[in-house]
Amino acid sequence: MVIICMKIVLSGPPRSGKSCFREGLKQAIRRIPGAPYPYVITACPDGEGSWFQATVERDANLAAECKAAYKSAFTPAFVERVRVSVERCELPLTVIDIGGRISPENAAICAAATQAVILSGDLSKVSEWQEFWASLRIPVIGVIHSDYTATEDIVPTIRDGVFRGSVHHLERGEPVAGRPTIRWVAEWLVKACQGP
């Protein structure tokens, strides 16, 4: 088995549920026997580190306090630190959460990424994210509609080399690792990083 180094950027507009999806994806991957550890790089200074979802589940008030304390703006030092982390990471499966903005800072951070997934509650915003990734020559491997009001997922199908589906009601503090779309994406990523 050939292990491929995948650096997947989780992207999309604000309030699409990226932090919830990221945590659910990490948990779903960890449940797959033989899967590589899903390393997460939090590449946005919004205060929602990899600890955030688990903290919300235990104590939502503490999570909000910590987020407010850790929230900051992009600085050149932050961008360079995260850019180098992405560039030098050689683990088989890395998920990079850049937050919800198309920006020069995110372009710099993602220069060494290998693929992108777009998670969007507003499907009219997908094309601008596709253009952003095309400008960086980073292929989009998945587009997931984050449908907050839906009651079930639409499991992805692959068209033109891109998986497309939907995930329902991503809400902070609710476990989502068992959602059909998140499980499907987890299994797809594990197979992809293990190679042919």
Side-chain angles (χ1 to χ4, degrees):
M1 171 183 0
V2 176
I3 300 292
I4 298 169
C5 180
M6 295 179 70
K7 301 175 188 183
I8 312 295
V9 183
L10 183 57
S11 63
R15 293 172 297 285
S16 292
K18 290 181 297 298
S19 295
C20 295
F21 191 92
R22 174 193 73 198
E23 182 62 22
L25 184 62
K26 180 178 178 179
Q27 291 176 17
I29 292 169
R30 293 190 70 196
R31 293 175 184 168
I32 298 171
Y37 181 79
Y39 184 65
V40 173
I41 295 176
T42 304
C44 182
D46 64 359
E48 289 190 23
S50 59
W51 53 270
F52 185 72
Q53 274 301 116
T55 306
V56 169
E57 290 173 18
R58 289 178 184 82
D59 187 334
N61 291 330
L62 176 62
E65 290 172 19
C66 290
K67 177 180 176 174
Y70 296 140
K71 187 171 185 163
S72 63
F74 278 114
T75 64
F78 177 89
V79 171
E80 181 61 10
R81 178 181 60 79
V82 179
R83 183 197 68 75
V84 169
S85 294
V86 172
E87 181 181 283
R88 294 184 182 169
C89 187
E90 296 181 2
L91 296 170
L93 184 53
T94 301
V95 176
I96 304 139
D97 182 356
I98 62 167
R101 306 275 183 239
I102 292 173
S103 68
E105 293 86 359
N106 279 331
I109 285 168
C110 296
T114 60
Q115 294 103 349
V117 171
I118 300 169
L119 178 72
S120 184
D122 180 353
L123 292 177
S124 72
K125 303 287 185 184
V126 169
S127 62
E128 62 193 53
W129 281 94
Q130 289 170 319
E131 290 169 15
F132 177 67
W133 295 121
S135 74
L136 297 176
R137 295 189 174 99
I138 296 173
V140 173
I141 59 169
V143 176
I144 302 293
H145 179 209
S146 179
D147 191 345
Y148 188 79
T149 60
T151 57
E152 60 185 29
D153 291 4
I154 298 173
V155 175
T157 57
I158 300 173
R159 293 188 317 260
D160 302 322
V162 177
F163 60 76
R164 299 172 192 278
S166 74
V167 63
H168 75 283
H169 196 75
L170 294 174
E171 179 66 44
R172 285 188 173 105
E174 291 184 12
V176 298
R179 301 278 170 87
T181 292
I182 292 176
R183 286 196 334 260
W184 188 96
V185 173
E187 290 169 7
W188 190 93
L189 290 176
V190 167
K191 286 177 188 170
C193 78
Q194 292 175 337

